Amino acid sequence: MAAMSEKKFPEGLRVLAVDDDCVCLKVLEAILRRCKYNPTMVTDAKTALKMLRAGKQEFDLVITDVRMPDMDGFKLLQLIRLEMDLPVIMLSVDCDKKAVMKGITHGACDYLLKPVSTNDIKNIWQHVEKRKNLEAISHINNNNDHDYDIDDRVQPGTAATRTDSENESNEGDGSNENEESTHISITQKKTRVVWTIELQNKFLEAINKIGLDKVVPKRILELMNVDYLTRESIASHLQKYRLQLKKVKSNPSGEAYERRKSSYNNMNNQGSFMHNHEHERWHMSSGLLSPNNFGATGHLAQLANTHRNLCMGSLIHDGGMLKHVTPQLSVAGRFPGSIDPPANLYNNIASDTTLDEFASYSFCDSYADCMRGKLVETSKGKFSDPSYKSATHATLPGVLHRDEIQMRSHVNIPRIPRATPSIQMPLQNEMVPPKMVKGASNSTSLEGFSEQMASFNIAGNTRSVGMMLNENSTPGNGRISMTQAHMVNSGSTISAVSNLHAENIGAMTHRLDGGDTVSIHPVQEGTVDQYLYNDQVNEIDDISLDDFFSDPLNADFTIADDVMGGEE
DNA sequence: CATCCAATAT
DNA sequence: AATATTGGAT
């Protein structure tokens, strides 16, 4: 054991020690030096803070006494946590539970009791290492690049493990009976496995190879060959996967909102382009074309065997178009993957991609989505007002109100070309979602969107093809903003269904991550159940994007006669 | 508060 | 290994 630590011991770690008691400080310094650290001693917190802020000397670790005049250890800890990323160890004679708890809650990585022993100090380097490793882990979870020294990774719990037998600090201290150790370690939480796109793909691949009937966690683990995964985490994931399968199978054509709600699709799932036991009927993820549908290249993933899964967003809202208001859509969608989709994916779509590679099962149930997409499509890079970029919040001082943003976006809002006069889609209230601003919060908020639509006649003769495109993504916590997931309505509106009877149908609003808030809004008269007509809608066949982009209006959609009623 | 989801318990 | 429950999180 000693040999092990010897080998790994990082000599000369720069330690800043703070204590108003000079004697204690001297002792501490001696111990630190003996343990081959590189200590700097300071007698008050303010000076310490100054030094840290000045940044002339860099430190790896801070040890601070708790009780100090002027500024105490907790305050110092708080400020350090706030301003810099340094492990802080608290030092105190106070073994009171409250005090220790305070240390913990304030984010100390260790709480040592005075008098400190060599043994306590000997091991404090672990906190520096631990931090490094945590960074590495999160990096791994968020990165495609696996070139790390993963062997070095601290397994949960190990870092803080310490046996009582090696605790020398109790020597000659009989009064210490209530403490097993003067060393109270604050263990790091176990890092959760993030099922990234890559992981999920590997997972599905493994299932494919083994076969759904024979698959067991252990085998998956072997096949996946990802060192930091455990059999347990795979088992857990498999459990979820199976549950999901069950759901889908029991209700293969089930209410779309039910399916939409299902999180498995919504997960990092690349279901859309892997095999998919779950899509016996649908052939591809019935889930969102969430930004999750990026392949490893960051492009839209290639869908395997997907036919007829194009969904016409615009179909959903027949006459009596809802005035669709989605206030405070604060969480737009998840992008749990590690990959940053290309900033401008729109330009990266291979021209030979066929349209139905864009699953557009959801998102398009709001006509506004289509419109927004259209806007984005046409307005890319055309915002000339710089203030626009930083404006996300109406209430931020000095920032434009969102209405102003709308006014100032120098975009000509395109009209949807229409074939029949019965269709009217004014876009008065449509707006391009404000760009998100990097903030303290890790979720992107998108302030009150208001969408106002006009009605249009579903039995009309226009066409619409929607697809989802992505602009960019938010690395980090895995949420994306509305800005990034747009329904792009590239032209016209197809009314594949004629003579629909509008009946007690609701329209849906939902969080883009398919989260918890799917709801059915009662709508005035005259809406159509999209899902009733899914199959018909889905009869639309492949459309080459070449055609589409070159001449969206006249792109040729092949639609089964029975659907179109012979009328194309 | 409901729901999700990986971890953990059974 | 399969399934149920928990606990942290949104």
Side-chain angles (χ1 to χ4, degrees):
Chain A
M1 168 105 188
M4 274 260 291
S5 1
E6 214 76 72
K7 208 164 87 186
K8 283 195 166 185
F9 191 88
E11 272 185 37
L13 280 181
R14 295 151 299 185
V15 178
L16 181 62
V18 193
D19 197 334
D20 61 306
D21 184 332
C22 287
V23 179
C24 286
L25 202 60
K26 275 280 171 217
V27 174
L28 185 58
E29 181 178 3
I31 296 176
L32 282 168
R33 290 204 190 284
R34 200 192 310 161
C35 295
K36 305 231 168 98
Y37 293 98
N38 173 16
T40 305
M41 319 311 288
V42 179
T43 52
D44 71 299
K46 286 203 165 157
T47 314
L49 204 57
K50 255 184 224 158
M51 290 177 72
L52 288 166
R53 280 179 179 155
K56 277 180 192 157
Q57 274 172 283
E58 287 199 1
F59 294 99
D60 299 301
L61 188 70
V62 178
I63 302 182
T64 176
D65 185 27
V66 171
R67 275 185 227 170
M68 288 182 292
D70 221 9
M71 182 194 285
D72 70 8
F74 291 126
K75 185 73 195 165
L76 179 62
L77 167 65
Q78 211 171 0
L79 289 170
I80 291 176
R81 293 274 299 175
L82 212 62
E83 295 175 32
M84 47 208 108
D85 184 35
L86 271 181
V88 178
I89 293 170
M90 307 304 288
L91 200 59
S92 174
V93 281
D94 192 358
C95 58
D96 186 68
K97 215 177 187 177
K98 267 190 211 154
V100 179
M101 269 312 288
K102 197 169 173 189
I104 296 168
T105 51
H106 282 64
C109 59
D110 215 338
Y111 196 106
L112 303 179
L113 293 182
K114 280 184 180 178
V116 286
S117 72
T118 309
N119 221 33
D120 288 333
I121 295 301
K122 202 162 75 186
N123 289 321
I124 58 174
W125 60 270
Q126 64 174 301
H127 299 295
V128 180
E129 286 298 302
K130 200 183 336 186
R131 199 155 288 228
K132 273 190 209 157
N133 282 319
L134 280 175
E135 272 162 29
I137 289 173
S138 71
H139 212 173
I140 283 169
N141 280 341
N142 291 309
N143 239 301
N144 219 4
D145 190 350
H146 282 232
D147 264 355
Y148 297 87
D149 184 5
I150 323 168
D151 289 338
D152 245 345
R153 198 170 309 136
V154 176
Q155 279 307 307
T158 51
T161 314
R162 188 160 173 271
T163 56
D164 286 339
S165 59
E166 37 169 345
N167 186 351
E168 293 159 19
S169 62
N170 276 350
E171 264 173 24
D173 187 358
S175 66
N176 221 351
E177 65 278 331
N178 61 337
E179 294 281 353
E180 320 85 77
S181 164
T182 58
H183 177 272
I184 299 146
S185 209
I186 291 130
T187 25
Q188 197 65 43
K189 265 184 288 178
K190 183 165 187 168
T191 51
R192 278 167 80 102
V193 172
V194 178
W195 282 87
T196 59
I197 291 170
E198 303 81 62
L199 278 185
Q200 176 67 9
N201 273 339
K202 280 190 171 178
F203 175 81
L204 289 174
E205 249 168 55
I207 292 182
N208 254 348
K209 256 184 212 153
I210 303 164
L212 189 60
D213 41 339
K214 279 174 263 171
V215 77
V216 288
K218 207 172 160 185
R219 293 274 293 126
I220 298 179
L221 181 64
E222 286 161 17
L223 275 177
M224 282 181 74
N225 191 26
V226 177
D227 42 23
Y228 58 92
L229 280 181
T230 62
R231 196 195 63 81
E232 280 79 11
S233 55
I234 290 176
S236 177
H237 195 66
L238 184 63
Q239 181 182 31
K240 191 173 70 163
Y241 181 72
R242 287 195 160 129
L243 258 156
Q244 194 56 36
L245 284 189
K246 224 176 6 185
K247 257 194 199 162
V248 173
K249 281 193 177 154
S250 70
N251 190 11
S253 60
E255 291 306 312
Y257 70 88
E258 275 300 331
R259 277 184 276 116
R260 171 175 313 167
K261 273 204 297 197
S262 86
S263 56
Y264 197 84
N265 291 321
N266 184 29
M267 225 180 38
N268 338 330
N269 188 3
Q270 287 295 290
S272 342
F273 55 89
M274 298 302 297
H275 78 135
N276 274 319
H277 300 285
E278 73 192 270
H279 303 127
E280 285 169 349
R281 166 163 179 197
W282 302 96
H283 296 292
M284 57 179 288
S285 171
S286 56
L288 311 173
L289 174 73
S290 72
N292 301 334
N293 282 358
F294 286 99
T297 55
H299 288 66
L300 275 176
Q302 187 75 35
L303 300 173
N305 185 25
T306 59
H307 246 280
R308 60 187 60 177
N309 213 345
L310 193 64
C311 151
M312 302 291 93
S314 317
L315 275 182
I316 304 153
H317 304 303
D318 169 44
M321 184 70 197
L322 56 157
K323 207 173 183 179
H324 180 127
V325 178
T326 321
Q328 300 291 332
L329 185 64
S330 64
V331 177
R334 273 182 199 197
F335 186 69
S338 51
I339 306 162
D340 226 28
N344 209 342
L345 186 70
Y346 193 79
N347 298 327
N348 287 337
I349 297 170
S351 61
D352 60 349
T353 322
T354 54
L355 246 196
D356 71 351
E357 286 178 31
F358 302 100
S360 39
Y361 205 76
S362 30
F363 286 68
C364 30
D365 51 3
S366 155
Y367 185 73
D369 279 348
C370 308
M371 293 296 97
R372 183 183 305 110
K374 185 69 187 169
L375 264 174
V376 168
E377 176 199 350
T378 49
S379 63
K380 247 180 202 142
K382 290 182 189 160
F383 298 109
S384 50
D385 187 337
S387 55
Y388 172 82
K389 285 191 180 106
S390 60
T392 49
H393 204 291
T395 59
L396 284 178
V399 172
L400 290 178
H401 187 276
R402 59 174 178 271
D403 291 338
E404 292 177 84
I405 298 168
Q406 186 185 348
M407 299 310 291
R408 293 211 202 171
S409 59
H410 299 223
V411 180
N412 281 329
I413 297 173
R415 291 266 166 185
I416 298 294
R418 45 186 196 263
T420 70
S422 68
I423 295 169
Q424 291 184 339
M425 305 160 182
L427 279 167
Q428 302 101 331
N429 256 358
E430 189 53 53
M431 61 177 267
V432 177
K435 287 275 187 195
M436 56 168 285
V437 164
K438 269 189 191 168
S441 152
N442 59 2
S443 76
T444 308
S445 92
L446 189 62
E447 293 300 321
F449 243 61
S450 111
E451 304 174 351
Q452 193 173 46
M453 308 314 71
S455 57
F456 73 96
N457 183 359
I458 197 158
N461 210 9
T462 31
R463 318 165 140 181
S464 153
V465 170
M467 65 185 124
M468 292 293 311
L469 295 173
N470 266 37
E471 259 186 311
N472 46 37
S473 85
T474 319
N477 82 323
R479 290 195 184 267
I480 60 149
S481 77
M482 268 293 274
T483 333
Q484 298 154 323
H486 298 296
M487 186 61 204
V488 174
N489 189 327
S490 310
S492 46
T493 330
I494 289 183
S495 259
V497 198
S498 52
N499 301 325
L500 298 179
H501 286 295
E503 276 177 20
N504 62 337
I505 308 300
M508 298 202 196
T509 52
H510 59 96
R511 285 207 332 221
L512 293 181
D513 67 352
D516 313 339
T517 49
V518 175
S519 59
I520 298 188
H521 290 246
V523 177
Q524 305 91 313
E525 9 60 77
T527 42
V528 173
D529 188 349
Q530 176 202 357
Y531 309 110
L532 265 172
Y533 299 103
N534 264 344
D535 289 348
Q536 293 164 332
V537 172
N538 290 339
E539 289 301 319
I540 296 164
D541 267 322
D542 299 1
I543 301 159
S544 157
L545 272 192
D546 259 340
D547 299 340
F548 195 70
F549 285 135
S550 60
D551 189 1
L553 294 187
N554 294 314
D556 191 17
F557 304 96
T558 316
I559 298 164
D561 279 348
D562 56 334
V563 172
M564 290 304 286
E567 167 199 346
E568 226 254 86

